[in-house]
Amino acid sequence: MTDGTNPPSHPQPEPAPGSGGYGFPPGPPAQGGYGYPTPSGGYGYPQSGQQPNPYQQDPGAYQQDPAGGFGHDAAGGYQQDAGGYQQDAGGYQQDGGGYPQDAAGGQWSAAPAQPGFTRLAGPDLPGGSQPDWEAMADRSAAERRKKRLWMLGGGVAVLALLAGGGTFFLMGTGDDGQDAQPSNSASASPEPDDSKGPAAYTATVAGDDTLLRDSYGSMGIRLGPDLKVGPLGKRFQVVGKGNGNSWAQSAEPVVDVTKSFTVTARAYNSAAKGSRIIMSQGDGESFSFELGVNEVNGKQAWIFRVQTGDKGAAATTRTVAAEGLQMVKTPTLLMATYDAEKKAIALYVDGKKAGETPVPPIWQAPGPLQLGRSMHHNIWTGPWQGALHNIKTYDMAFTAEQAAGYKEGKLDPSPKPTHAWLLT
C-alpha cells in the first residue's frame, strides 16, 4: 500500500537500435509469444496436450514447471536468477499475486512500461500494468475511516456502560449515603442484603402491606388507617393526613432509654401550625421521648423532648428546640441523641447541632415505638401531617462530628442501626 503518490523515477538506458527493447527479441513478437497464449504454449501457458500448472511463487520471483515458461532454460523460456524482479519502496505493486486479465479472458492487459523498476537480473516485465494509485489511496482512506468509526463506536459503548454504571451507583445509595440497601426477603435479617439491587427493596413485609418491614432487626411497625405507604422515586415513604388515624406502632418497645441511643428520620412537614410528632415511645400515661414539631414562643420549631418522671408533668420534661427554621414543606433530616454517660440530650437538624441540655435519667415508659403521635396524660397528641422515611434507631449516641458525617454520607466506620424502616 502506498500513500497515493507516484513512485520515484529510476530511468533506464535506451535500448540499442533494432534490439527490440528491454529484453525483447528484435522485430515484432511471434504469435504465442510474450503474454499471448497459443496451443504451442507460451509465456506462462502450457503447451498443447499438457495440463496447466499454476504459478509457484517465492519472495521476489515467478517460477513455472517444465511445461515451458518463465524461469527455465532456452528450450522452455527464460532463465531467471534467485533474486527475480525486485522493486523499490515506490515501485510496482500487484494485487492478488498475478497480472490482471481483461474481461474477455485469456489475454494479459498491457500498458506502457512505467518508471520505478529496479532490475537486478532477467528480462524486463512484459505487458506490465501500472497500478491505479488513486484507487489504492481511496481504499487506504476508506480503511482508515472504517477504523475510526469502529474506535468511535467502541468509545461510545464504553461511555454508555460507564454512564449506566454511574446511574446504578447513585440509585444504590441512600440519600444520607449511610447504609447498604436492604434485602427483598419477607423476614428481617440483622444486616440488609443488597445483592439484588435497589429494585428489590420492599417497604412492607411480603403478604402484608400494612406492616412496615424492619431492614436491620425483627420489629415490624403496624400502619394505622390513615398513614399510608407511597412512592418516593424508586423507593417508599409513609404519608399522614394529620388526623387521629395518621399513626403506626410496633408490637414492643424499640429503644432502651436507660442506655445511650440515637433516633433519626427524614421528614416533610405540611402542617403550618400545631404539634406534629414524627416518633415517640410509650403508650401509658406519658411518653419516654418524642421527636417532631411543636410551637415554641408562638412559632413552630423542631423539638426533642424526654420525660424524667412517670406522670408527664412539665416540671419533669427536658426539651431541646431548633427555632427560626423553615418548617413547612421543607425536607429535613432530624437526629436526636441521648448520652447516658454524659446524661445529656442533643438535637441535630440537617447535620448541624441545634442544642444540647443535661437531663436526669429518662423515665422508661411502658409501650411500643410510635410513628405520627405521642402520649400526653393518657391522650394521643401531635398527629403527623406530611411524609416520613429513612427511619432508624442506634444503640449509641452520635457525636457532632458523626451527625455531620451522617448527613454528608461520609460516616466511617459506619455504625449499624439496630432497626430501620423505609430506607431510601
Side-chain angles (χ1 to χ4, degrees):
M1 189 61 66
T2 72
D3 59 2
T5 60
N6 287 327
S9 175
H10 297 274
Q12 299 193 20
E14 293 293 330
S19 65
Y22 299 110
F24 290 87
Q31 183 67 21
Y34 305 97
Y36 294 87
T38 66
S40 64
Y43 205 75
Y45 283 82
Q47 296 179 355
S48 177
Q50 291 182 335
Q51 295 297 319
N53 269 308
Y55 286 110
Q56 296 180 351
Q57 181 178 349
D58 65 12
Y62 291 103
Q63 295 188 5
Q64 193 175 4
D65 68 358
F70 206 61
H72 293 276
D73 60 17
Y78 287 95
Q79 186 68 33
Q80 181 180 342
D81 66 11
Y85 288 101
Q86 297 189 9
Q87 60 194 31
D88 60 16
Y92 186 83
Q93 298 187 11
Q94 71 183 45
D95 241 345
Y99 297 111
Q101 282 183 299
D102 62 17
Q107 289 190 344
W108 301 105
S109 58
Q114 299 292 329
F117 296 118
T118 300
R119 189 180 70 168
L120 299 183
D124 276 320
L125 207 58
S129 63
Q130 169 71 12
D132 188 343
W133 300 108
E134 183 175 355
M136 293 168 68
D138 290 342
R139 285 197 300 271
S140 178
E143 288 296 326
R144 287 195 296 270
R145 286 194 298 271
K146 185 183 296 184
K147 288 180 180 179
R148 284 197 296 270
L149 288 175
W150 276 108
M151 293 175 66
L152 179 60
V156 170
V158 170
L159 288 175
L161 289 174
L162 288 175
T167 302
F168 183 84
F169 174 77
L170 290 177
M171 290 166 56
T173 57
D175 49 8
D176 53 25
Q178 183 65 11
D179 302 300
Q181 294 302 328
S183 68
N184 192 31
S185 61
S187 60
S189 58
E191 291 190 16
D193 175 13
D194 61 352
S195 60
K196 295 184 180 180
Y201 180 75
T202 58
T204 57
V205 173
D208 189 347
D209 59 5
T210 67
L211 186 63
L212 294 181
R213 185 173 64 84
D214 185 351
S215 297
Y216 281 83
S218 56
M219 192 67 66
I221 296 181
R222 182 68 62 185
L223 295 172
D226 289 333
L227 191 65
K228 301 291 188 181
V229 175
L232 180 64
K234 293 183 178 296
R235 294 306 180 92
F236 306 94
Q237 60 187 348
V238 288
V239 181
K241 296 181 178 181
N243 60 28
N245 289 322
S246 301
W247 56 267
Q249 71 175 21
S250 62
E252 302 173 7
V254 171
V255 178
D256 184 352
V257 296
T258 66
K259 300 176 182 178
S260 296
F261 67 85
T262 295
V263 294
T264 181
R266 288 188 175 270
Y268 183 86
N269 172 41
S270 59
K273 61 181 180 178
S275 174
R276 306 293 171 179
I277 300 302
I278 295 171
M279 74 173 81
S280 68
Q281 185 164 283
D283 62 359
E285 194 167 349
S286 185
F287 60 90
S288 282
F289 70 85
E290 62 182 4
L291 172 66
V293 178
N294 200 15
E295 289 193 0
V296 178
N297 298 321
K299 295 182 179 179
Q300 282 189 327
W302 296 111
I303 60 98
F304 176 49
R305 181 180 289 128
V306 299
Q307 181 59 257
T308 63
D310 62 357
K311 299 298 182 181
T316 58
T317 61
R318 298 291 186 272
T319 303
V320 179
E323 301 179 61
L325 302 176
Q326 177 61 41
M327 301 296 301
V328 181
K329 297 182 179 179
T330 304
T332 307
L333 171 63
L334 280 302
M335 178 180 288
T337 68
Y338 169 62
D339 190 325
E341 184 176 346
K342 290 174 57 178
K343 292 183 173 54
I345 60 172
L347 174 64
Y348 299 87
V349 180
D350 287 330
K352 298 178 180 179
K353 194 172 190 176
E356 181 179 271
T357 188
V359 298
I362 298 175
W363 177 55
Q364 191 171 6
L369 184 76
Q370 306 286 330
L371 297 183
R373 65 182 182 178
S374 180
M375 179 66 75
H376 283 245
H377 305 289
N378 294 313
I379 299 173
W380 291 114
T381 63
W384 181 253
Q385 182 176 325
L388 300 172
H389 66 93
N390 226 44
I391 303 164
K392 301 175 187 177
T393 65
Y394 295 83
D395 58 1
M396 58 174 288
F398 278 33
T399 65
E401 292 76 15
Q402 288 175 315
Y406 182 94
K407 170 63 172 64
E408 298 299 325
K410 299 177 181 179
L411 185 58
D412 188 31
S414 176
K416 296 298 181 183
T418 53
H419 304 278
W421 305 271
L422 297 163
L423 296 184
T424 56

